[in-house]
């Protein structure tokens, strides 16, 4: 994207006359490849190359956003013209021009396609997967500060496969989301191997309450729902409102939102307002610490760098990125013994939270009953449910020492905007959650 | 406009086996709350080519140049062998078809949606007796032009316009709060009272003291709840292989007739096949299915004009376009309610409808009002109904005449529906 940033900043100047006003241009190019795989054979394949530009103005409680498909100066001009006209400022002349060519980095798609086929055939031969690979480049020109460019390359494999179990064939869901890196292939191979492992016949757990051990980094999904969302600066009234600095959980628990972790799916070098992000402690030694802010909701320290957009057609919102739970000192065996009787969960399929009431729900595809500190029956699919404050206060003061990345956590939707998120966590026990079979 | 050069180029590279799609859309959005006002203007353009070269390939771009760059990349990807389906021929190309540019006033392409926050907030407050407040209202008004060309000479251009939105309300009773969202689409005058009623009930009924006090009875579904249930069942009308529980085509009670007819929305589907009415369930029997070009080819039939494109980024796939319960033999909703000896009127969902078509299972969580002898007795904070889809559909004993359409995201029309002999949890 070759843009004369200083010229764009001059165009934006009249739109941000006051202190605290925001005027910016956001430009994105995105190259996305999707291949559907079925039983080792590629099915439908598609490639999408898109560019879009938006201009945004925010003054007090009023915000205006203009989006135009395309790239380059002509598209930026069109977007800025809309804002100027709506703000009753003098309007730039329109200068239509063909879209400039993209300078796309060399693609690794073909290499991935060659690697994936034998990997899927070997580990999960009967499957229906969708593999997607995205190259995203974003450029932000904010009035009043310097322009920035950031790039991300994201890899996702989602779908289901048929696995053997002691009760015969069964369909299992699988999802893996990671930023592209040298280790991604090995990590995927390990995840597929673990997912395809033989399992026992499942039995229902029975509706009621149970103590739950969140294993396999699934605690990252729990805290993403009940802490990260609740501490987004525009969340409105939630059970955590008016509890600043209050101790709401055990001192052993520390949860952070860390976009600087580029090894996790939700990481980035710059947020979608051009701010360099910083790690935010959500829960510090069990105390409620800070919230996630964008420029519009910034406190005295300024934006925490959590202004995120699904794409150029959307305005930025304060959103979580990577939910990171600090390690404790307990081993897995100690945690199982501490759980005593309860439910051990290693996978979570999806999660939702209603912030006003604080109720959350996590869907798990399977689990394991624990009796007297030992693994017992395999449990079939069900839901975990609870409320934010009771769940946080019911965290056991014994946290696992081994931290793992949660690769099943990938895309988070809020108000129709879907952004990549990730996390990592050790094993965590939460007492007295509602459990329901599906 | 799609130019002839591009068509010639596609025919040269993929003779007889290509389809070109272009969409331009302008929209204007207004999101209001008590303290803020957000406006957005969006001008979107998208190009897509689908072609068969060994197997199916699909490339999209936000302009012609990016489309041209995406085509060779998609061509290098592996694809399962599949012949091209027969494309629709002929066409529908009305005059005009371009969204006008306004060089002097770039905001004027689409009119602003109506600002109805204040009257809707007033209605929500009235209908909830002050227990619920409207938090945000987002309205989007837009229009789009779609063009489709194919290797068989098919030429289609369609225009559409739409006003839809989403409203969010917060109910509060003592220390307890509950939030509710309502999505709507207005084809004619804004129905503020309907949206306000749903928001008020959805945000306040879950604050009631308790759940259902009886475990079995009649289940009356509000049109919005019935529409969500129909939306969850809609994939049944498109699957290649029917689940085992669909025996001899009988899937519902004789009171149930379900059709799809998007003639009012667009003359053609996303593949250029002329829109027509398709009756899917007639007097309880599954009588037809929805097909796009590819699924019709696999089934050995013709497309039913149900190749849908949720966006230019997605290739067409079989799907419902305007799905609804037929209500010609229905009764008034008041009559339906009056006939309930004991049951629950489900006013709003408290979780997405869960449906497993293969396993013949469903689960609906909702909030509503208990009904005794045809009259509302008390609010029901939360209730759950689950079981076999096959049983649910055969226990529908009546539908009312008050059909309403909801965007899910395509229009789904449902009236108040009565289901007998339901177990509540």
């Amino acid at each position: 994207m070759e843009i004369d940033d200083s010229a764009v900043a001059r165009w934006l100047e009249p739109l941000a006359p006051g202190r605290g006003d925001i005027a910016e241009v956001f430009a994105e190019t995105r190259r996305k490849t999707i291949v559907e795989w079925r039983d080792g054979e590629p099915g439908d394949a598609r490639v999408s190359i898109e560019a879009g530009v938006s201009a945004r103005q925010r003054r007090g409680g009023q915000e205006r956003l203009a989006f135009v498909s395309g790239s380059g100066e002509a598209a930026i001009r069109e977007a800025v013209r809309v804002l100027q006209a709506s703000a009753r400022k003098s309007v730039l002349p329109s200068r239509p021009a063909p879209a400039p060519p993209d300078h796309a980095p060399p693609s690794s798609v073909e290499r991935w396609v060659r690697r994936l086929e034998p990997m899927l055939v070997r580990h999960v031969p009967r499957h229906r997967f969708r593999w997607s690979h995205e190259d995203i480049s974003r450029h932000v020109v904010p009035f009043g500060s310097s322009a920035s460019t950031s790039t991300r390359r994201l890899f996702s494999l989602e779908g289901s496969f048929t696995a053997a179990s002691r009760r015969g064939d069964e369909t299992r869901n699988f999802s893996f989301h990671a930023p592209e890196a040298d280790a991604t292939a090995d990590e995927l191979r390990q995840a597929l191997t673990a997912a395809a492992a033989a399992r026992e016949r499942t039995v229902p757990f029975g509706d009621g309450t149970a103590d739950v051990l969140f294993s396999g980094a699934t605690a990252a999904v729990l805290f993403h729902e009940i802490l990260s969302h609740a501490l987004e600066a525009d969340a409105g009234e939630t059970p955590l409102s008016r509890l600043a600095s209050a101790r709401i959980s055990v001192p052993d628990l520390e949860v952070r939102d860390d976009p600087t972790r580029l090894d996790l799916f939700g990481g980035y070098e710059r947020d979608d307002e051009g701010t360099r992000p910083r790690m935010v402690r959500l829960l510090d030694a069990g105390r409620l610490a800070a919230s996630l802010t964008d420029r519009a909701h910034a406190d005295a320290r300024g934006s925490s760098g959590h202004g995120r957009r699904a794409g150029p057609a959307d305005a930025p919102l304060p959103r979580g990125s990577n939910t990171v739970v600090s390690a404790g000192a307990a081993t897995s065996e100690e945690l199982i013994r501490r759980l005593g009787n309860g439910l051990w969960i290693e996978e979570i399929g999806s999660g939702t939270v209603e912030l006003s009431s604080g109720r959350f729900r996590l869907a798990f595809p399977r689990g394991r009953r624990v009796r007297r500190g030992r693994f017992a029956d395999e449990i079939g699919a069900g839901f975990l449910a609870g409320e934010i404050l009771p769940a946080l206060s019911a965290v056991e003061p014994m946290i696992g020492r081994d931290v793992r990345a949660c690769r099943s956590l990938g895309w988070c939707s809020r108000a129709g905007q879907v952004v990549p998120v990730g996390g990592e966590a050790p094993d965590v026990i939460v007492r007295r959650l509602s459990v329901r079979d599906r | 406009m799609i130019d002839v050069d591009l068509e010639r180029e596609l025919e040269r590279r993929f003779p007889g086996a290509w389809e070109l799609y272009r969409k331009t859309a302008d929209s204007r959005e207004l999101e209001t709350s008590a303290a803020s006002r957000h406006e957005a203007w969006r001008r979107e353009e998208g190009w897509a080519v689908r072609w068969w070269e060994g197997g199916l390939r699909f490339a999209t771009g936000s302009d012609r140049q990016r489309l041209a760059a995406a085509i060779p990349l998609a061509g290098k990807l592996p694809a399962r062998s599949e012949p091209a389906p027969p494309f629709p021929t002929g066409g529908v190309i009305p005059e005009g078809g371009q969204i006008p540019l306004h060089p002097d006033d770039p905001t004027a392409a689409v009119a602003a949606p109506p600002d109805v926050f204040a009257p809707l907030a007033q209605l929500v407050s009235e209908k909830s007796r002050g227990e619920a407040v409207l938090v945000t209202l987002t309205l989007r008004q837009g229009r789009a032009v779609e063009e489709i060309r194919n290797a068989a000479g098919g030429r289609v251009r369609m225009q559409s316009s739409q006003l839809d939105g989403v409203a969010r309300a917060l109910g509060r009773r003592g220390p307890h709060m509950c939030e509710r969202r309502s999505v709507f689409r207005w084809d004619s005058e804004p129905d503020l009272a309907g949206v306000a009623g749903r928001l008020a009930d959805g945000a306040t009924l879950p604050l009631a003291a308790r759940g259902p006090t009886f475990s079995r009875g009649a289940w009356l579904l509000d049109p919005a709840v019935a529409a969500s249930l129909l939306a969850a069942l809609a994939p049944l009308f498109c699957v290649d292989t029917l689940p085992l529980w669909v025996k001899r085509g009988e899937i519902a009670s004789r009171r149930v007739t379900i059709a799809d007819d998007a003639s009012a929305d667009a003359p053609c589907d996303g593949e250029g096949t002329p829109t027509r009415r398709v009756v899917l369930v007639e007097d309880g029997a599954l009588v037809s299915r929805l097909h796009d070009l590819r699924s019709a080819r696999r089934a050995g039939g013709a497309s039913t004009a149900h190749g849908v494109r949720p966006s230019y980024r997605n290739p067409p796939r079989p799907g419902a376009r305007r799905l609804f319960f037929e209500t010609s033999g229905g009764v008034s909703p008041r009559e339906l309610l009056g006939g309930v000896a004991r049951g629950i009127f489900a006013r709003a969902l408290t979780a997405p409808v869960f449906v497993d078509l293969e396993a013949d299972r469903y689960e609906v969580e909702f909030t509503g009002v208990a009904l005794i002898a045809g009259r509302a007795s008390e609010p029901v904070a939360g209730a759950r109904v689950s079981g076999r889809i096959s049983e649910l559909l055969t226990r529908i004993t009546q539908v009312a005449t008050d059909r309403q359409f909801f965007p899910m995201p395509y229009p789904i029309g449902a009236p108040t529906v009565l289901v007998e002999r339901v177990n509540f949890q």
Side-chain angles (χ1 to χ4, degrees), chain A residues 125-172:
Chain A
R126 289 152 65 198
H127 57 257
R128 291 188 80 153
F129 283 128
R130 166 182 285 206
W131 172 72
S132 73
H133 183 278
E134 287 186 76
D135 271 309
I136 305 162
S137 173
R138 290 176 163 179
H139 186 73
V140 185
V141 187
F143 174 71
S145 53
S146 55
S148 64
T149 300
S150 59
T151 57
R152 287 294 273 161
R153 191 172 266 192
L154 301 175
F155 174 107
S156 286
L157 185 72
E158 287 182 280
S160 61
F161 64 92
T162 306
S165 75
R166 286 183 172 73
R167 64 171 180 176
D169 287 352
E170 64 178 23
T171 302
R172 296 180 191 167

Side-chain angles (χ1 to χ4, degrees), chain B residues 190-211:
Chain B
D191 172 23
L192 295 183
V195 174
R198 262 181 214 102
L199 284 171
D201 282 359
T204 57
L205 290 173
L207 302 172
R210 55 186 178 181

Side-chain angles (χ1 to χ4, degrees), chain B residues 127-315:
Chain B
K127 287 181 183 285
S128 65
R129 297 192 180 100
E131 287 192 316
V133 291
L134 180 65
V135 180
T136 57
L137 171 66
T138 307
L139 285 172
R140 189 176 58 237
Q141 183 148 284
R143 55 180 171 171
V145 177
E146 295 170 274
E147 292 180 74
I148 303 163
R149 308 286 168 97
N150 64 43
R155 304 274 184 277
V156 167
R157 188 187 305 142
M158 299 178 284
Q159 297 181 63
S160 58
S161 58
Q162 192 167 316
L163 172 61
D164 59 17
V166 56
R168 199 160 59 91
L170 193 65
R172 189 191 300 263
R173 189 174 295 158
H176 301 290
M177 290 191 293
C178 180
E179 186 183 305
R180 193 60 54 209
R181 283 171 83 245
S182 179
V183 291
F184 51 86
R185 169 180 159 144
W186 290 329
D187 290 324
S188 51
E189 284 300 298
D191 172 23
L192 295 183
V195 174
R198 262 181 214 102
L199 284 171
D201 282 359
T204 57
L205 290 173
L207 302 172
R210 55 186 178 181
T213 52
F214 42 85
S215 60
R216 193 170 167 83
W219 189 27
L220 201 60
L221 278 66
D222 180 88
V225 176
S228 297
L229 189 59
L230 182 56
L233 296 173
L236 179 66
F237 305 124
C238 310
V239 290
D240 278 349
T241 311
L242 284 171
L244 290 173
W245 58 269
V246 181
K247 291 173 187 161
R248 298 186 302 278
E250 298 289 334
I251 64 164
S253 81
R254 290 188 164 275
R255 298 282 185 182
V256 177
T257 294
I258 297 170
D260 188 291
D261 186 357
S263 310
D265 299 329
C268 297
D269 72 351
E271 297 175 312
T273 308
T275 304
R276 63 184 174 91
R277 175 187 166 85
V278 178
V279 177
L280 296 158
V281 177
E282 190 166 27
D283 302 331
L286 184 66
V287 291
S288 45
R289 312 273 285 282
L290 302 177
H291 286 296
D292 67 351
L293 294 174
R294 291 174 75 200
S295 74
R297 190 179 208 289
R298 287 195 297 271
S303 167
T304 58
H306 288 89
V308 298
R309 294 182 194 252
S311 136
Y312 75 88
R313 299 173 184 91
N314 303 101

